[in-house]
Amino acid sequence: DNDSHVKLRLEPGLNSINAVQAKAGVAYAALDNRDGETVYAVVDYMGGTITEVPEEQGASMVRETKGSKALDGPRPNDAYDNLLINPELLKLGLIEPNAGRMEPDGESAVITFYRPAKLIAQVPFSLWSREGYVGSLLGKQYLQLRVAPGEHTFVAFSERLSVLNATVEAGKEYAVEFDVGMGWNQAHIKLLPVDLNAEGGKVDGWKAELAPVGVSVEALGKPEVAPRIARGFDYLKSIEGQWAAEGAASRDLMAGDGR
């Protein structure tokens, strides 16, 4: 409640915390390797943030607010679990500028994922494949991926799964809109295939306007990052049965959609 506080005892090691409103996660923060410490944090409901504050300020806020009792034990996680699949919500530094542009060649295709919309552009969402983590995007960014010819599956998640089944040919470029819109009570992601032969002009405009980004290899190797990526991928694999059309919004990128 407003003007209250709650005390939580966390296990040593990596800890991710967030608030939940009507099954929607908000205000994500990492509290890693703080063994033996007392940490004070403020939840800004309107701003959607959890921010650590100095000990003196935090202790004063505890004295000035009423205490709330924590649950006797954790309840089942029945909230939309965005954080495992969208690790950059913790600001891990996974996104980095990428000045170079990929071009397809005789042995590969290039798939470009564009996030042109401005809606909650400051909130990063992530993209995965059957091989693992692909990357994360903010609004007004795009991400390129070089793939072998054949079939590939990509998935993103916010509120519900969005699955893209791609069939690509070597020597061609393909485009996918990483659409982030309004869902029931949080953002809703759709991976939308684009036919470059019919909508090439629109995509060329995106490429000129949006900023190219890649994945930070340095960040991926950090001890606080790698376990989170692994846990997210394990979680996705555990619900792989939901990737089918009846369990997710599934769409197809066809070989003929490239140019």
Side-chain angles (χ1 to χ4, degrees), residues 159-179:
E159 190 173 63
R160 66 176 299 191
L161 289 166
S162 181
V163 177
L164 181 79
N165 300 303
T167 303
V168 301
E169 297 175 347
K172 289 186 176 182
E173 176 187 5
Y174 294 84
V176 178
E177 181 178 359
F178 194 95
D179 178 69

Side-chain angles (χ1 to χ4, degrees), residues 1 4 8 16-17 38 48 70 77 81 88 102 120 122-123 133 160 168 179 181 214-215 227 233 245-246:
D1 293 333
S4 71
L8 307 177
S16 306
I17 62 174
T38 298
N77 185 2
D81 204 348
E88 186 57 11
M102 292 184 185
I120 55 172
Q122 74 281 6
V123 179
Y133 175 74
R160 66 176 299 191
V168 301
D179 178 69
V215 178
F233 190 43
E246 65 270 17

Side-chain angles (χ1 to χ4, degrees), residues 7 18 22-23 31 71 79 83 92 142 149 152 166 168 186 196 224 240 249 256:
K7 297 180 181 179
N18 63 273
K23 296 191 177 183
L31 289 176
L71 299 178
L83 186 55
L92 302 175
Y142 71 84
H152 304 269
V168 301
Q186 64 176 305
L196 281 174
E224 68 271 22
E240 194 166 359

Side-chain angles (χ1 to χ4, degrees), residues 69-206:
K69 185 178 182 297
L71 299 178
D72 292 332
R75 71 178 191 184
N77 185 2
D78 58 358
Y80 297 129
D81 204 348
N82 276 2
L83 186 55
L84 278 174
I85 308 179
N86 295 293
E88 186 57 11
L89 289 170
L90 292 173
K91 300 179 181 179
L92 302 175
L94 295 170
I95 302 172
E96 68 176 7
N98 182 9
R101 289 184 177 177
M102 292 184 185
E103 299 293 340
D105 57 32
E107 298 181 351
S108 68
V110 170
I111 306 177
T112 306
F113 296 85
Y114 299 91
R115 186 179 170 188
K118 296 180 180 179
L119 183 66
I120 55 172
Q122 74 281 6
V123 179
F125 294 103
S126 299
L127 179 71
W128 302 75
S129 73
R130 292 195 185 279
E131 287 69 50
Y133 175 74
V134 173
S136 301
L137 285 168
L138 295 165
K140 296 298 181 180
Q141 294 180 339
Y142 71 84
L143 174 73
Q144 292 191 296
L145 184 65
R146 186 178 302 280
V147 298
E151 298 180 354
H152 304 269
T153 302
F154 300 95
V155 62
F157 179 89
S158 179
E159 190 173 63
R160 66 176 299 191
L161 289 166
S162 181
V163 177
L164 181 79
N165 300 303
T167 303
V168 301
E169 297 175 347
K172 289 186 176 182
E173 176 187 5
Y174 294 84
V176 178
E177 181 178 359
F178 194 95
D179 178 69
V180 179
M182 291 302 298
W184 178 247
N185 67 354
Q186 64 176 305
H188 183 76
I189 295 175
K190 291 179 283 188
L191 299 178
L192 303 176
V194 180
D195 184 349
L196 281 174
N197 301 292
E199 300 183 273
K202 177 178 72 173
V203 173
D204 290 340
W206 287 346

